[in-house]
């Protein structure tokens, strides 16, 4: 082996560069440690790959949708992947003067931009468990999620973010009668994922309600 070839070999324990898109399992593994450099670019590549795959044979005959799956309290939920802008580690939330309500938590700095932080748990009336002591691992899973349009972005806190899932529309399930009235107002369908049933939220309804709450 030449000297130049040896120089190109990665040293033991070093990270090997890759241009491969970030797949869902890889994204899930990132949740237990600080977000690395290039995280947003990796997600962008993943979305681009999904878009390119939309024309494949298995998608031609049936329309499919891509969701981002996350957890709030004990509820697993999903929103259309198109409205997600960023997923970051928790950071301080600064309360708004003269405003005290459970839905609007305050302002948070995300990459130098001040965004309103809200509680989807409050909007959807999801009970947050306070009796069980939080472990370090549970705290490490918590993320702040930026959603919305380019000119209307907002942040919410998720107790866990799984990643992307693509589903054919025919595989989506009807909303069961056991879903609460408040949650069903924002839920359009359910999807089966692993051994769970995930509520698919309507992005327009969620964002419109949050906008009205901020007015």
């Amino acid at each position: 082996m030449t000297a130049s070839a040896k120089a190109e070999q990665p040293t033991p324990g070093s990270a090997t560069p890759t241009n491969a898109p970030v797949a869902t399992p890889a994204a899930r593994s990132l949740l237990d440690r600080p977000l690395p450099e290039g995280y947003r670019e990796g997600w962008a590549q993943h979305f681009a790959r999904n878009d390119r795959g939309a024309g494949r044979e298995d998608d031609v005959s049936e329309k499919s949708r891509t969701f981002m799956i996350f957890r709030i309290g004990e509820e697993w939920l999903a929103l259309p992947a198109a409205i997600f802008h960023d997923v970051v580690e928790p950071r301080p939330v600064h309360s708004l003067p003269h405003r005290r309500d459970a839905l609007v938590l305050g302002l948070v700095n995300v990459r130098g931009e001040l965004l309103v932080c809200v509680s989807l748990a409050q909007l959807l009336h999801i009970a947050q468990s306070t009796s069980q002591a939080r472990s370090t691992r549970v705290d490490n899973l918590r993320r702040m999620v930026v959603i919305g349009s380019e000119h209307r972005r907002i942040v919410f806190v998720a107790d866990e973010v799984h990643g992307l899932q693509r589903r054919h529309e025919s595989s989506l399930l009807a909303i069961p009668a056991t879903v609460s009235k408040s949650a069903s107002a924002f839920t359009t369908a359910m999807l089966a994922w692993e051994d769970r049933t995930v509520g698919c939220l309507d992005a327009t309804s969620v964002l419109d309600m949050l906008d009205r709450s901020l007015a």
Side-chain angles (χ1 to χ4, degrees), residues 86-154:
D86 208 346
V87 179
V88 298
E89 290 184 291
R91 51 207 59 198
V93 178
H94 306 281
S95 60
L96 293 170
H98 313 298
R99 178 145 193 168
R100 295 291 183 271
D101 61 68
L103 179 60
V104 180
L105 303 178
L107 295 176
V108 61
N109 187 325
V110 179
R111 306 188 191 280
E113 181 180 3
L114 284 179
L115 299 173
V116 175
C117 183
V118 299
S119 170
L120 281 193
Q122 179 68 23
L123 179 67
L124 302 174
H125 298 280
I126 298 174
Q128 297 277 40
S129 175
T130 57
S131 60
Q132 185 178 11
R134 296 201 310 260
S135 66
T136 301
R137 175 176 171 80
V138 170
D139 284 338
N140 286 341
L141 292 175
R142 187 162 293 130
R143 293 290 181 264
M144 284 185 165
V145 183
V146 183
I147 61 171
S149 64
E150 190 62 34
H151 305 291
R152 183 182 66 167
R153 300 199 297 165
I154 203 163

Side-chain angles (χ1 to χ4, degrees), residues 15-28:
T16 302
T18 176
N19 294 322
V22 179
T24 298
R28 190 174 189 182

Side-chain angles (χ1 to χ4, degrees), residues 59-74:
D59 289 320
V60 171
S61 60
E62 188 175 0
K63 185 177 180 181
S64 61
R65 299 165 61 186
T66 303
F67 297 93
M68 179 73 83
I69 294 179
F70 57 94
R71 178 176 61 83
I72 295 180
E74 299 301 319

